[in-house]
Amino acid sequence: MFRSQIAKAIYNTLAKDSFIAESYGVSVAKLGYEGKKLSDFSQLSVLMETMKKHGMDISGEFCKQLHLKNLEGVSKIIVMAEKESILPWLMSYDYEYWEVPNEDADTADIVEDIILILRDKINALQKE
């Protein structure tokens, strides 16, 4: 459902600090999505339109596989992948796990629910 791209957009829109969120997936390469733009996925049209209504355009976001080098110098790691999908080497890192439903983003109601969940988590994160 591209949860991390949604979270990235929300964080970078709401950020009250100087940090910038990035988005990587644990199964991007396996699924053959590496380097694809979200706008390449016709099934994400509802997701992208709903995000635009919230002032966030994610259509130009690219799918990126998580690699060890992506974690160099980061201050916080948040994982939303299903627990069984978490890469073994990632388990040795100190990360925060967010339970966020991984549903198809084919209705605005589903997307709105995910946005609300992520917005709440991000707002709580910024209060830490």
Side-chain angles (χ1 to χ4, degrees):
M1 152 82 186
F2 303 92
R3 296 166 289 188
S4 66
Q5 284 97 338
I6 297 169
K8 173 185 173 181
I10 294 170
Y11 185 90
N12 290 338
T13 298
L14 298 177
K16 297 174 183 146
D17 53 36
S18 61
F19 297 109
I20 296 173
E22 288 295 336
S23 167
Y24 299 96
V26 297
S27 302
V28 172
K30 180 175 144 184
L31 294 171
Y33 293 171
E34 183 78 39
K36 290 190 177 183
K37 272 180 149 180
L38 294 193
S39 60
D40 292 339
F41 298 90
S42 60
Q43 70 270 30
L44 298 181
S45 60
V46 172
L47 168 62
M48 289 184 281
E49 286 305 313
T50 305
M51 292 295 289
K52 282 181 185 175
K53 288 179 185 174
H54 286 271
M56 296 173 269
D57 183 0
I58 63 172
S59 62
E61 285 291 318
F62 285 89
C63 298
K64 297 178 281 190
Q65 176 66 40
L66 177 65
H67 298 286
L68 188 59
K69 66 182 178 188
N70 302 124
L71 301 180
E72 292 175 9
V74 301
S75 58
K76 186 141 192 108
I77 301 167
I78 297 171
V79 176
M80 290 180 270
E82 286 64 35
K83 289 184 179 183
E84 64 274 4
S85 299
I86 298 173
L87 301 167
W89 58 263
L90 183 56
M91 299 284 218
S92 65
Y93 281 82
D94 182 27
Y95 64 84
E96 186 172 327
Y97 184 79
W98 285 1
E99 186 98 23
V100 179
N102 188 22
E103 299 184 39
D104 289 334
D106 52 2
T107 70
D109 288 343
I110 291 172
V111 176
E112 290 288 349
D113 288 346
I114 299 299
I115 290 171
L116 287 174
I117 290 167
L118 289 169
R119 183 175 285 152
D120 288 348
K121 289 181 176 297
I122 289 165
N123 282 330
L125 179 69
Q126 292 195 12
K127 291 178 183 173
E128 290 179 0

